[in-house]
Amino acid sequence: MRKKIIAGNWKMNKTASEAAALIEEIKAELKGVSGVDVVVCPPAIDLKDAAAAVEGSNVGLGAQNIHWAESGAFTGEISASMLTDIGVKYVIVGHSERRQYFGETNETVNKRTKAALAAGLIPLVCVGETLEERDSGQMESVVINQVRESLADLGDDLPSIVVAYEPIWAIGTGRTATPAQAQEVHALIRRTLAEISSGNVANIVRIQYGGSMKPDNAVELLGQPDIDGGLIGGAALQAESFAAIVKAAI
Ligand code: PGA
């Protein structure tokens, strides 16, 4: 049985003090809740305050990006040890907004994923097709290619990763994939994982759904056999809606 994982991707929202306050509210909403992994991913500059806020609670802390180098001339980037040093445990890698606006490719996603794993961080590796790709019948080939290339050569670390399937047409649009549409792609991702691994690995890896997941559609989405959690954008910015989704995962 895979443990469900609900992660909030706060994107470029909340100052450090706002982040700490939101985490306090989330902790209050989720007091005593167990059986599901809960993660918040605030902006990088908030992480230190956020680390203090999650301390001793059932809320884990994640970053939104990581560089593959340990240090050096990479202005604006953040290394794995900078994250682990302050208590970060997870990191989102290859979000579609990074692929779309910041030139992220499967190759750089793969490098960032490897750096995260080497440091003991759990990467939440994002894949997903555009509407044009879906409408022109390319969804399967796009997603298979993203999984194969983004997760290439992870070796024994593969079971530690989390995959996030986020159809780009469902992100921030209010247009969520139907549970059947999401399940179909999650099963495809799991079959692809089976092709690139051996033994039981494909059945261990958790696959989150992301894209307009809300309290009112979470139960049905999370009830699908291959949907093991959610990566939540808009609904993660309020403690009540985020907590409602977490509780839907139990
Ligand atoms: P959304 O974002 O829930 O606002 O659609 C999800 C994401 O981009 O991770």
Side-chain angles (χ1 to χ4, degrees), residues 44 79 83 104 134 146-147 166 168 188 193 199 207 211 220 222 227:
S79 74
L83 297 176
E104 199 81 69
R134 174 168 281 259
Q146 286 176 333
V147 170
E166 299 206 308
I168 294 169
L188 172 72
L193 290 169
I207 308 175
E220 221 189 330
L222 293 167
I227 300 186

Side-chain angles (χ1 to χ4, degrees), residues 153-176:
D153 307 320
L154 301 188
D156 292 345
D157 286 330
L158 189 61
S160 307
I161 67 150
V162 175
V163 178
Y165 168 59
E166 299 206 308
I168 294 169
W169 46 272
I171 295 178
T173 57
R175 180 182 164 187
T176 182

Side-chain angles (χ1 to χ4, degrees), residues 38-56:
V38 180
V39 184
V40 293
C41 304
I45 199 159
D46 299 355
L47 287 170
K48 203 159 182 196
D49 292 276
V54 300
E55 177 99 48

Side-chain angles (χ1 to χ4, degrees), residues 31-201:
K31 213 171 167 76
V33 168
S34 63
V36 51
D37 287 335
V38 180
V39 184
V40 293
C41 304
I45 199 159
D46 299 355
L47 287 170
K48 203 159 182 196
D49 292 276
V54 300
E55 177 99 48
S57 78
N58 53 358
V59 179
L61 186 60
Q64 297 177 14
N65 193 18
I66 182 175
H67 196 264
W68 51 86
E70 185 41 52
S71 62
F74 300 102
T75 302
E77 293 284 326
I78 294 170
S79 74
S81 61
M82 294 171 190
L83 297 176
T84 55
D85 183 59
I86 59 167
V88 173
K89 303 268 189 267
Y90 300 83
V91 61
I92 299 170
V93 181
H95 189 277
S96 62
E97 287 148 19
R98 298 226 41 99
R99 292 176 184 263
Q100 204 176 339
Y101 308 133
F102 302 101
E104 199 81 69
T105 63
N106 290 336
E107 192 189 349
T108 57
V109 171
N110 183 243
K111 287 162 91 167
R112 294 182 203 274
T113 300
K114 285 177 176 161
L117 288 165
L121 291 159
I122 297 176
L124 314 179
V125 184
C126 303
V127 299
E129 80 287 358
T130 64
L131 190 57
E132 297 70 50
E133 288 163 344
R134 174 168 281 259
D135 287 347
S136 60
Q138 297 175 75
M139 178 275 285
E140 291 201 8
S141 60
V142 166
V143 171
I144 289 170
N145 198 44
Q146 286 176 333
V147 170
R148 283 184 164 275
E149 293 186 359
S150 302
L151 305 180
D153 307 320
L154 301 188
D156 292 345
D157 286 330
L158 189 61
S160 307
I161 67 150
V162 175
V163 178
Y165 168 59
E166 299 206 308
I168 294 169
W169 46 272
I171 295 178
T173 57
R175 180 182 164 187
T176 182
T178 64
Q181 279 175 322
Q183 166 58 28
E184 182 197 357
V185 187
H186 281 236
L188 172 72
I189 292 170
R190 205 173 298 288
R191 285 199 300 277
T192 308
L193 290 169
E195 284 166 15
I196 63 169
S197 63
S198 57
N200 200 32
V201 169

